Amino acid sequence: MTDDSSDLFGPLSKAPAATRAVPVLVPLPAPGPYSYAVPEGMAIEPGSVVQVPLGPRQVIGVVWEGPEDGKVDPKKIRPIEKVFDCPPLDAHMRSFVNWIAGYTLTPPGLVARMALRAPAAFDPEPMVEGLRFLGGAPERLTPARARVMEMAQDGFSWTRSGLAHAAGVSLSVVDGLIKQGLFETVFLPPPPVVARPDPEFVEPRIEGPQKEAAAEILENVAAGGFSVALIDGVTGSGKTEVYFEAVAETLRRGKQVLILLPEIALTAAFLERFQDRFGAKPAEWHSDLSPRIREKVWRQAVTGEVRVVAGARSALFLPFEDLGLIIVDEEHDPAYKQEDRVYYNARDMAVVRGRITGFPVILVSATPSVESQVNGQQGRYNTIHLPTRFGDAALPDLHLIDMRRHPPQRGGFLSPVMLRAIDKTVKSGHQSLLFLNRRGYAPLTLCRVCGHRFQCPQCSSWLVEHRFRGQIQCHQCGYAEKTPDACPECGTLDHLVACGPGVERIAEEVEQHFPEARTIVLSSDIAGGVKRLRLELDAIAKGEADIVIGTQLVAKGHNFPLMTLVGIIDADLGLANGDPRAAERTFQLLSQVTGRAGRTGLKSHGLLQTYQPQHPVMQAIVSGDSGAFYDREIFEREKAVLPPFGRLASIIVSADTRQDAETHARGLRQAAPQVSGISVLGPAEAPLALIRGRHRFRLLVHGRRNSDIQSFLRDMLANGPKERGSVHTQLDVDPQSFL
């Protein structure tokens, strides 16, 4: 693979008019690139971003590798319409796209599309109109005009608004001086989306174990080339400050940095922390940004003006000019798995991108994934342990509440033990966090007379009551209706009952017991969206709430200085399904949540309400013996030949009718090749058998670690029935969800 276009396509300058063709990858589910003619005088190379005709419309594409098509008849092949004035996707980025397409069995055009998500950024940003002081004096010198002239007399160019702001005057003052001819109009380059971070802005705040860990990380960065380090540190151990040192060293070397975060829209605190260390915030990349800002970040990342990007998983596909380090914070988080169009795990693909380009990758977590733990044990990753919290902070004392011995009052969900602990915490002026990973008021509503249960008409899931909004809603497809007063089955009034708790119901119970306490409910579907959530999180950090009730978003790295009690309402919740990762996920989530307490050195406690106090997950959490939990989990995985000791791929077949979905799934099963070490389970109805009106059947392909599952799947799909009518097949290599 090369960037030398003369090797691949021949000398550009000697190409006759429309007699040369090149492959162009377009953002469609096609198996490969299409051929297009290169007009005379058009300079292109592999990676050039171009506009090409496709049917009746114009689409964006990328010139790709491939054999030269030779002479072409201009009447039979359509020409490239335009080459955009932006740097081409380099050879490393093109290799990355090809690798992901091959691994996930996704058409390469759909993968390339993720790198081209900002079409308006492909042409250079327009110049900004500015002003330069020419000298002279105004007809009447006022103090405001004097300040403007003093600011501008250094000869530098200013924007009109920037000069007014710097001089502390209104725009009309500047306009008056322009009218008198004291300024000339000049054109300035567009301003950077963020200032450049300074690796020497402040002295790093690290000590003892953090210094040792940072020194080890810096060895990896200084050595250059590809490596993977896993920072495994308890909550509050200073992991962020440690990897900031790797960021600083990479910046000193003139390279760019990408920091992946699972919930970038909720991490304003991280951005401020970064600014405190480097004097400027990183550029953000996530779905909550305005299109204009996304375009500026894309353009300035590809030209090298942006040095650090902090983003969600899609930031992995930004075509950086000179990327030199990727950090994956909270590497265990399921949010790194994309399950739409292109099914990939950003953590794993970050490692792939580092290996292809040849730079270090750092994975960070207080509760690493089993896969990363095994890679560390087998020497693929360099594991760096931080077993203690930073400074004088201690981990919370954790205790189990056996709900069989200490049940809640009738109609309630909080044990008397939990209520006493909350009361003591509130009276001490500290904060309590109650965690329940269920949105809404109740997960099920039924009629006490006839037993009717409210189910989504389009999905095989119950409608969740949201009492704050007066709705019952499906969390799969978004279907919602007004909470009814009467049962639609028997017509009985006032006999509908909410079954089980959600965070809203826990808030109602808390307010009954602690009416004077200031209570905040945090959930991903909170009214007001991300902006409201950020305000609420900021209020909690400032101590403006006594009791916080939240779902899993409260587990994602927040620092609440006054939080001294964390209560888990239903610690068993994540264990009640057939997911092979259920124990691991529950351990990670509960460990992360309890880690919100006592991060500033205050004595803290964690209480877990459970009906299974002897379960290995519960025992591992309260004992603090994470090593024993991982050893047991790794042993079970190895015995069952499950990842990372085996390989899995999931095939979901969906259709408008159950019969069509089942028939197609059975046809795929029959087409599976006979290969030693690889087996196919199913088809069977998926646990969520109906979503958005589509019936779903699942096949699970299981193989050993060295199995060539991709070739097996290609043969299976090629020899199986073709998609017809409403039938659609989704393929997920290395699935994280089993619903």
Side-chain angles (χ1 to χ4, degrees):
M1 194 171 297
T2 175
D3 271 338
D4 189 342
S5 56
S6 63
D7 289 345
L8 186 59
F9 302 130
L12 297 175
S13 59
K14 297 180 181 179
T19 60
R20 187 168 59 92
V22 294
V24 175
L25 201 59
V26 295
L28 289 174
Y34 294 137
S35 294
Y36 285 89
V38 181
E40 184 175 9
M42 179 178 284
I44 63 162
E45 60 180 295
S48 292
V49 182
V50 296
Q51 179 178 301
V52 294
L54 189 67
R57 58 198 175 106
Q58 298 287 321
V59 299
I60 305 297
V62 185
V63 178
W64 217 244
E65 285 82 8
E68 185 178 356
D69 285 351
K71 291 185 178 181
V72 296
D73 184 344
K75 296 179 181 178
K76 294 184 178 180
I77 191 169
R78 303 175 77 178
I80 294 172
E81 294 286 338
K82 175 182 178 180
V83 180
F84 289 96
D85 185 11
C86 70
L89 303 190
D90 65 22
H92 296 308
M93 190 66 192
R94 300 195 302 275
S95 293
F96 183 53
V97 168
N98 284 331
W99 197 97
I100 291 181
Y103 188 83
T104 63
L105 300 184
T106 302
L110 294 185
V111 182
R113 180 174 177 265
M114 295 192 294
L116 304 173
R117 282 288 178 87
F122 299 156
D123 282 322
E125 291 184 71
M127 301 290 278
V128 177
E129 189 173 301
L131 304 171
R132 182 184 293 123
F133 186 52
L134 294 174
E139 297 172 359
R140 184 170 61 87
L141 184 63
T142 64
R145 287 178 171 179
R147 290 200 301 276
V148 172
M149 294 166 62
E150 183 180 355
M151 291 296 300
Q153 66 183 0
D154 57 8
F156 289 107
S157 300
W158 293 79
T159 62
R160 175 171 161 268
S161 59
L163 180 56
H165 178 75
V169 302
S170 66
L171 289 172
S172 62
V173 176
V174 177
D175 291 341
L177 294 173
I178 294 172
K179 287 180 181 178
Q180 294 185 40
L182 299 182
F183 286 88
E184 66 173 344
T185 299
V186 295
F187 289 93
L188 309 173
V193 69
V194 288
R196 286 205 165 208
D198 178 6
E200 318 301 338
F201 183 70
V202 296
E203 193 72 22
R205 290 180 57 253
I206 54 177
E207 59 185 40
Q210 291 78 27
K211 272 191 176 180
E212 295 173 12
E216 199 169 343
I217 287 289
L218 289 177
E219 282 184 22
N220 292 345
V221 176
F226 170 66
S227 64
V228 182
L230 171 64
I231 303 179
D232 176 4
V234 298
T235 55
S237 60
K239 298 183 293 294
T240 304
E241 298 298 333
V242 168
Y243 73 65
F244 276 175
E245 293 314 292
V247 173
E249 182 60 26
T250 305
L251 292 173
R252 293 186 192 105
R253 292 170 179 268
K255 303 265 186 190
Q256 292 167 291
V257 179
L258 170 61
I259 303 173
L260 293 179
L261 301 163
E263 297 281 353
I264 185 64
L266 302 176
T267 49
F270 169 83
L271 302 177
E272 291 171 6
R273 245 175 117 175
F274 188 95
Q275 185 174 29
D276 290 342
R277 172 63 179 86
F278 296 101
K281 290 184 179 181
E284 296 181 60
W285 182 268
H286 54 83
S287 59
D288 198 48
L289 293 178
S290 68
R292 178 69 181 133
I293 295 298
R294 286 174 67 88
E295 291 154 10
K296 289 174 73 71
V297 172
W298 191 96
R299 179 82 193 186
Q300 294 181 17
V302 77
T303 59
E305 292 171 79
V306 162
R307 307 310 296 168
V308 181
V309 173
R313 59 178 182 249
S314 59
L316 186 61
F317 293 90
L318 283 172
F320 290 89
E321 180 196 47
D322 191 11
L323 186 58
L325 175 68
I326 296 179
I327 294 164
V328 185
D329 206 348
E330 308 288 359
E331 63 87 27
H332 66 279
D333 199 293
Y336 285 123
K337 176 72 177 186
Q338 174 161 304
E339 296 178 331
D340 178 38
R341 292 190 177 222
V342 183
Y343 285 64
Y344 69 92
N345 189 313
R347 175 199 64 210
D348 299 340
M349 297 306 107
V351 173
V352 171
R353 187 164 184 183
R355 179 172 58 80
I356 288 174
T357 307
F359 58 71
V361 177
I362 299 174
L363 310 180
V364 186
S365 178
T367 53
S369 62
V370 168
E371 288 83 353
S372 294
Q373 289 278 15
V374 171
N375 281 327
Q377 292 176 4
Q378 297 181 348
R380 295 186 184 90
Y381 297 172
N382 174 30
T383 303
I384 299 168
H385 293 283
L386 287 170
T388 59
R389 282 188 160 179
F390 182 77
D392 298 325
L395 289 166
D397 294 330
L398 301 179
H399 302 279
L400 299 177
I401 301 176
D402 187 341
M403 297 296 281
R404 298 168 301 180
R405 296 177 55 197
H406 306 284
Q409 297 175 4
R410 183 180 178 86
F413 300 93
L414 300 176
S415 166
V417 178
M418 184 74 76
L419 291 171
R420 287 195 296 270
I422 297 170
D423 183 58
K424 183 177 178 181
T425 304
V426 170
K427 288 177 178 176
S428 70
H430 296 155
Q431 293 173 318
S432 301
L433 169 64
L434 301 182
F435 169 79
L436 177 63
N437 206 20
R438 277 204 192 110
R439 292 177 285 160
Y441 184 83
L444 171 64
T445 301
L446 57 79
C447 175
R448 281 185 288 201
V449 175
C450 70
H452 173 76
R453 300 185 176 198
F454 287 84
Q455 184 172 343
C456 177
Q458 305 177 103
C459 304
S460 51
S461 60
W462 309 120
L463 294 177
V464 176
E465 182 181 356
H466 287 260
R467 191 158 292 188
F468 291 175
R469 283 184 269 160
Q471 288 183 333
I472 49 176
Q473 182 181 359
C474 174
H475 286 172
Q476 299 301 324
C477 69
Y479 170 85
E481 61 182 67
K482 183 180 179 295
T483 304
D485 298 318
C487 174
E489 190 73 22
C490 67
T492 306
L493 283 166
D494 301 327
H495 275 72
L496 301 180
V497 60
C499 298
V503 287
E504 293 177 11
R505 194 168 191 178
I506 298 301
E508 183 180 87
E509 185 175 352
V510 164
E511 288 169 3
Q512 290 173 358
H513 288 283
F514 308 101
E516 302 300 321
R518 298 168 297 175
T519 303
I520 285 180
V521 176
L522 289 183
S523 176
S524 58
D525 56 5
I526 189 173
V530 170
K531 290 182 180 177
R532 166 84 179 276
L533 275 172
R534 285 184 167 176
L535 291 173
E536 301 280 36
L537 290 167
D538 188 48
I540 296 166
K542 292 177 180 176
E544 296 172 3
D546 300 313
I547 303 173
V548 181
I549 301 149
T551 59
Q552 65 179 352
L553 66 84
V554 301
K556 299 182 183 292
H558 307 298
N559 187 20
F560 304 132
L562 295 176
M563 192 74 67
T564 60
L565 174 66
V566 170
I568 310 296
I569 306 305
D570 188 352
D572 308 322
L573 182 60
L575 300 172
N577 60 56
D579 188 336
R581 291 188 175 88
E584 176 192 5
R585 292 269 170 80
T586 301
F587 173 79
Q588 289 166 341
L589 185 57
L590 300 186
S591 297
Q592 292 281 343
V593 173
T594 54
R596 296 313 103 205
R599 295 169 69 94
T600 55
L602 297 172
K603 180 69 174 175
S604 60
H605 303 274
L607 299 176
L608 291 81
Q609 295 188 166
T610 175
Y611 289 92
Q612 306 177 66
Q614 299 306 315
H615 194 286
V617 170
M618 303 305 155
Q619 291 299 314
I621 291 172
V622 296
S623 68
D625 191 358
S626 61
F629 170 77
Y630 279 113
D631 288 345
R632 177 184 175 279
E633 194 68 14
I634 290 169
F635 173 77
E636 295 292 339
R637 296 272 189 97
E638 188 170 16
K639 186 170 66 173
V641 198
L642 289 172
F645 304 100
R647 302 195 60 197
L648 292 174
S650 173
I651 303 174
I652 296 286
V653 178
S654 64
D656 289 344
T657 68
R658 187 182 186 279
Q659 182 179 354
D660 286 349
E662 183 176 14
T663 300
H664 191 88
R666 291 192 180 281
L668 286 177
R669 174 68 182 85
Q670 292 169 1
Q674 298 298 314
V675 176
S676 176
I678 300 180
S679 58
V680 181
L681 307 176
E685 276 193 312
L688 288 174
L690 185 69
I691 293 184
R692 295 181 176 87
R694 294 182 62 82
H695 296 265
R696 305 166 77 240
F697 275 77
R698 184 181 71 176
L699 298 108
L700 196 62
V701 179
H702 177 229
R704 298 192 175 276
R705 182 165 184 158
N706 60 354
S707 300
D708 187 357
I709 275 192
Q710 278 79 9
S711 294
F712 181 91
L713 292 169
R714 286 191 193 97
D715 291 346
M716 185 176 177
L717 295 173
N719 298 328
K722 307 307 175 190
E723 294 181 352
R724 290 186 177 86
S726 66
V727 173
H728 178 63
T729 304
Q730 292 177 339
L731 187 61
D732 185 0
V733 178
D734 302 332
Q736 295 289 311
S737 171
F738 291 85
L739 298 178

